[in-house]
Amino acid sequence: MILISFDIDGTLTVGDPPGILPMDMVRAVKEQGCLVGSCSDRPISAQRAIWASHDIEVDFTVSKHMLPDVKAEFEADMYYHIGDREDLDRRPALEAGFEFLWPHEAVDMPWVDGPDA
Amino acid sequence: MPKQGVVPDDLTRPFWEAANEHRLVIQSCVACKHLQHPPAPVCRVCGSDTVEWKEMSGRGTIYNYGVVHDCPIRLLQEDQPFNVAVVMLAEDPGIQMYSHLPGTPVDEVPVGAEVEVTFEATANGQMVPEWRVVGSSGEGGEPA
Amino acid sequence: MTENAPATMYRTDEGTGPWEHRGKVAAVGVGHSPTARRWDGRAETCVGAISLIALRRAIEDAGVDPAEIDGLVMDPVTTTGAYWPKGKPVPEEVTSAFNSTDNPLDGIAGLSAEWILKNMPELTGIDFTMYGPGCMSNAICVAAQAVGDGLANTCLVLKSWHNYEGRYYQGGANAGSDLPGTAALHALWGTPACYGTALQFAEYCRKYGKNHDMMAPFIENSRQNGLKFPEGYWASHRPEEITPEDYKAARWIAKPANLFDNDLPIMVSAAYLYTTAERARDMRQKPVYILNHAASNTRPRSLTPTLDEVEADTARTARKIYEGAGITAADLSFENMYDGFAQFHQFHIEGLGYRGMKFGEALDFYQTDISIHGPNPILPSGGNIGCGRSRFWMHTDCIQQIQQRAGERQVTGVKPEVAVSGGPMPLGGRFTVWSATPD
Ligand SMILES: [Zn+2]
């Protein structure tokens, strides 16, 4: 099982500023059976609203400092956080025991297009 | 914690030179004996321009504190979260100094506890007064 | 060259009686620019350009001939923490789009009165310019005093903000390896901007037995009100509420201040038109009379204000506000005191004794109906938390509420007759009393 946490602003195309990762990518990852969710400075209610408006059922929506809670709650073989900030994404992700990916690295991961892609 | 270096300026040079000698000095008005920190060219109470530097005992108490989780200074971001306490000097509780409280665990700051001054080197070797809870364990300048 | 207002323009002393121009100056026009999170680099969105939009909208709103305007009061500083990087070239396509001054960053990283006049050729009658630096709160005090003193008859007031890429406050000295000795006494410990307020709030909670969660209804109310401010950043870009659950789940910045206790830096500009009560009578909008302006010049004894210093000063400020306006706390229909950081607000309103509040009671008050539809509205503008960092929503809202044109934000539980707004900090703030009638 792979768990993938997405930052929103600067990471997803729906972010402010927009990032490079389209919602379709999240949807595809979810459909392959990964655990997915968002970890963002947006209010949690706003994160839920974004996912709902794109019809994506996510497994978690948490604030920026809550990756350790995500790890405690979900059992997975690999934990990834994808974000665009050194201080607010990369460092806390590594401290929480997640692998960290910049958005441009995430698009090259095998789970984006499925294992056979 | 590795603090940024300090380049003393005219107003604060005596403070920083004393720190290099492990002494804590605070500006004092010759005319009205008022202590002031941060220093100023003149006394903020009586306006006298005859101000001197007085050595303090290096004792104080913790007045208040916050825990910094999102620090604007790059050098300190590695150490987040960390305590920043406000110490009141024993000689005059109106005089405040900031402290990372080396030796005190994050967010376990005993408000009202006695502290004593210690000196630690900043990035360029300039010494800076820091404060340690009296009787707290641990040596050196790094917090637990 | 435009000069800063002399200290005598601000009403800092207690015991001076009613303001000599009480009810003789009025706000008659409001103009806001669109907002943006950061500058996108285009000429038409630079801080100078959005200022021109705000000014022209204020003139249009008042229905006055631009040639009749004879005064301009503004703040030349357009940021508190977003600086043009040293050595970064000034974009030629931006400067060439405007009439420039000697400062190549004028209109991009700051704003002079000269730049405004060079780029608003319709303002042919201006013979008075002055800076009220710091905030709109300062500039409107200066404008009110200037119109009252006869230095200007029909006076524009302007405050604008720029914001760039990168995190606020993290450039400049904060990125460097050394600090000058004086700055180091404060800055070596790495405290974010909200730290001082967080300290005061921590002491407040200890003294009065309160806690951070009790701020949640205030934050929720502020954002709800802000989402009814169509010019606000959140209403126009990201209509997101902050529920109590959202607030309590947010990360700390400097505990006990969290992310949503902080406001969001944005690009925005607002302008008002001030004139004499006499001249105001035949303008398009209902005049909103200025009953008083008041200022605090208090400095903390040492590095950071203590709760005792804050409370003494907010009480002193309230006495000045009421004395000069000839009113009491009971006359306030609503309040619009500063909130960016959110934890300033309870200090301001406790000092005012809003609705009979005493020190230590504001957080309990927040647990009651503080909405725009109740009898005790708190911050109907939504403030900086509800609309983004401008430090002027509260003034605009006082004007529009009293004119009964605050739209969806209009207070319905009280009749909007007298209001107070101002800030930013309790120590060093500037305040205005607004009224539907001149007496
Ligand atoms: Zn003196």
Side-chain angles (χ1 to χ4, degrees):
Chain A
M1 177 63 72
I2 297 174
L3 180 145
I4 302 156
S5 154
F6 290 88
D7 169 45
I8 297 174
D9 298 316
T11 297
L12 299 178
T13 50
V14 297
D16 174 18
I20 59 168
L21 302 182
M23 294 304 257
D24 279 346
M25 171 192 167
V26 183
R27 193 174 286 113
V29 169
K30 172 77 190 164
E31 278 164 8
Q32 284 175 52
C34 295
L35 292 163
V36 301
S38 52
C39 171
S40 160
D41 268 344
R42 296 231 184 177
I44 289 171
S45 61
Q47 296 184 40
R48 290 190 189 127
I50 289 172
W51 294 120
S53 72
H54 289 83
D55 227 359
I56 299 174
E57 207 170 299
V58 291
D59 300 286
F60 58 90
T61 46
V62 296
S63 295
K64 265 275 157 71
H65 63 300
M66 291 165 74
L67 285 180
D69 305 63
V70 172
K71 197 165 187 198
E73 188 180 341
F74 296 95
E75 203 161 305
D77 303 307
M78 289 297 292
Y79 296 86
Y80 289 96
H81 176 69
I82 305 166
D84 67 318
R85 299 287 270 270
E86 168 64 32
D87 54 344
L88 294 177
D89 291 301
R90 185 174 170 274
R91 190 183 309 136
L94 297 179
E95 279 171 13
F98 280 59
E99 301 287 320
F100 174 78
L101 297 168
W102 299 105
H104 71 270
E105 294 173 326
V107 294
D108 294 331
M109 294 303 285
W111 28 260
V112 170
D113 293 312
D116 302 326
Chain B
M1 287 172 62
K3 293 179 175 62
Q4 287 169 286
V6 178
V7 182
D9 46 26
D10 287 347
L11 186 61
T12 58
R13 187 163 288 110
F15 177 89
W16 297 112
E17 284 176 357
N20 285 341
E21 297 162 5
H22 290 219
R23 292 186 303 117
L24 174 65
V25 297
I26 294 291
Q27 206 182 41
S28 169
C29 174
V30 172
C32 77
K33 309 296 176 205
H34 175 78
L35 293 176
Q36 60 185 11
H37 184 75
V42 297
C43 173
R44 289 198 192 96
V45 169
C46 75
S48 164
D49 60 359
T50 317
V51 285
E52 60 182 0
W53 292 83
K54 258 191 157 161
E55 186 161 346
M56 300 288 113
S57 64
R59 289 182 295 111
T61 52
I62 297 174
Y63 155 61
N64 203 349
Y65 79 102
V67 182
V68 173
H69 289 250
D70 195 338
C71 166
I73 295 178
R74 284 188 199 145
L75 196 60
L76 294 174
Q77 285 168 356
E78 296 284 330
D79 293 294
Q80 290 169 185
F82 54 83
N83 296 322
V84 182
V86 183
V87 167
M88 314 186 281
L89 296 196
E91 284 80 0
D92 181 343
I95 299 297
Q96 303 167 332
M97 306 204 72
Y98 287 139
S99 173
H100 285 137
L101 287 183
T104 298
V106 173
D107 210 4
E108 291 179 28
V109 174
V111 172
E114 282 183 43
V115 288
E116 59 193 7
V117 75
T118 162
F119 292 87
E120 80 179 38
T122 65
N124 68 351
Q126 169 65 50
M127 301 301 281
V128 58
E130 259 297 356
W131 298 82
R132 183 177 288 281
V133 175
V134 173
S136 74
S137 57
E139 300 289 321
E142 293 298 307
Chain C
M1 278 291 286
T2 300
E3 304 280 345
N4 286 349
T8 51
M9 299 279 289
Y10 299 99
R11 305 192 73 242
T12 48
D13 295 329
E14 264 193 84
T16 55
W19 181 36
E20 67 271 25
H21 306 308
R22 179 180 185 276
K24 294 176 190 156
V25 180
V28 290
V30 173
H32 276 244
S33 76
T35 58
R37 176 76 173 97
R38 303 171 195 281
W39 186 36
D40 59 12
R42 294 179 301 137
E44 55 266 43
T45 52
C46 70
V47 72
I50 63 173
S51 302
L52 301 181
I53 294 171
L55 287 163
R56 287 180 172 133
R57 287 181 178 174
I59 296 167
E60 166 71 21
D61 188 50
V64 68
D65 178 355
E68 276 181 50
I69 296 166
D70 60 352
L72 172 64
V73 175
M74 55 182 281
D75 181 356
V77 180
T78 53
T79 186
T80 57
Y83 302 107
W84 191 258
K86 242 184 209 153
K88 181 176 175 175
V90 181
E92 167 68 29
E93 65 276 20
V94 178
T95 48
S96 64
F98 300 98
N99 297 314
S100 51
T101 64
D102 295 344
N103 170 11
L105 285 170
D106 211 348
I108 294 175
L111 196 61
S112 70
E114 288 68 32
W115 191 96
I116 294 293
L117 296 184
K118 281 188 166 200
N119 288 284
M120 283 185 75
E122 68 269 42
L123 294 178
T124 52
I126 299 233
D127 53 18
F128 170 79
T129 59
M130 192 172 267
Y131 292 138
C135 279
M136 182 64 101
S137 294
N138 301 33
I140 57 178
C141 289
V142 172
Q145 193 64 38
V147 171
D149 289 347
L151 298 170
N153 184 274
T154 306
C155 184
L156 284 162
V157 203
L158 174 72
K159 170 67 195 179
S160 305
W161 293 85
H162 74 252
N163 193 32
Y164 305 135
E165 289 305 315
R167 291 201 67 193
Y168 218 64
Y169 295 120
Q170 292 206 359
N174 286 342
S177 57
D178 294 331
L179 286 170
T182 300
L185 298 174
H186 279 99
L188 271 184
W189 285 267
T191 56
C194 65
Y195 168 78
T197 319
L199 277 182
Q200 293 153 28
F201 186 76
E203 188 178 3
Y204 178 96
C205 288
R206 278 197 300 275
K207 180 173 177 181
Y208 298 116
K210 308 301 173 194
N211 61 65
H212 184 262
D213 285 357
M214 294 178 78
M215 289 289 290
F218 170 78
I219 300 286
E220 183 180 39
N221 178 66
S222 296
R223 181 57 66 83
Q224 281 171 352
N225 293 348
L227 292 177
K228 298 183 175 85
F229 211 135
E231 296 89 344
Y233 175 81
W234 296 105
S236 47
H237 296 279
R238 282 168 53 181
E240 298 167 353
E241 301 224 351
I242 305 177
T243 66
E245 182 205 12
D246 295 330
Y247 178 66
K248 293 172 194 173
R251 64 188 172 92
W252 297 114
I253 302 296
K255 189 181 174 190
N258 79 13
L259 183 68
F260 297 135
D261 292 314
N262 284 255
D263 51 353
L264 188 80
I266 57 172
M267 295 208 49
V268 66
S269 176
Y272 306 136
L273 194 70
Y274 273 35
T275 189
T276 61
E278 211 161 275
R279 176 79 185 82
R281 265 185 238 133
D282 51 314
M283 291 206 179
R284 184 176 295 156
Q285 307 299 341
K286 176 178 152 36
V288 176
Y289 298 93
I290 316 295
L291 294 188
N292 187 23
H293 64 92
S296 156
N297 265 359
T298 309
R299 293 178 50 152
R301 163 89 197 274
S302 192
L303 295 175
T304 188
T306 64
L307 182 59
D308 283 349
E309 287 177 314
V310 169
E311 291 184 344
D313 205 51
T314 56
R316 190 159 43 232
T317 293
R319 291 194 297 271
K320 288 184 250 186
I321 286 171
Y322 294 141
E323 180 189 37
I327 61 167
T328 69
D331 294 310
L332 293 176
S333 314
F334 60 92
E335 61 83 23
N336 255 318
M337 300 293 267
Y338 189 61
D339 72 321
F341 311 109
Q343 290 162 345
F344 284 135
H345 199 77
Q346 78 281 349
F347 297 133
H348 283 302
I349 61 174
E350 288 178 2
L352 283 175
Y354 180 64
R355 296 295 188 265
M357 203 181 289
K358 297 187 175 57
F359 289 124
E361 294 182 353
L363 269 56
D364 292 320
F365 196 84
Y366 289 168
Q367 315 307 309
T368 68
D369 180 5
I370 56 173
S371 75
I372 52 173
H373 302 304
N376 304 312
I378 289 281
L379 197 57
S381 63
N384 277 23
I385 299 298
C387 305
R389 176 178 300 168
S390 77
R391 300 177 171 172
F392 53 56
W393 311 107
M394 51 207 187
H395 305 308
T396 299
D397 187 64
C398 283
I399 298 170
Q400 294 180 336
Q401 294 282 2
I402 289 172
Q403 290 173 330
Q404 298 273 6
R405 54 176 189 140
E408 259 200 278
R409 236 171 39 254
Q410 189 66 49
V411 294
T412 57
V414 294
K415 195 170 173 215
E417 291 176 317
V418 177
V420 59
S421 58
M425 277 71 77
L427 273 68
R430 305 280 190 266
F431 307 88
T432 293
V433 181
W434 315 84
S435 173
T437 57
D439 42 22

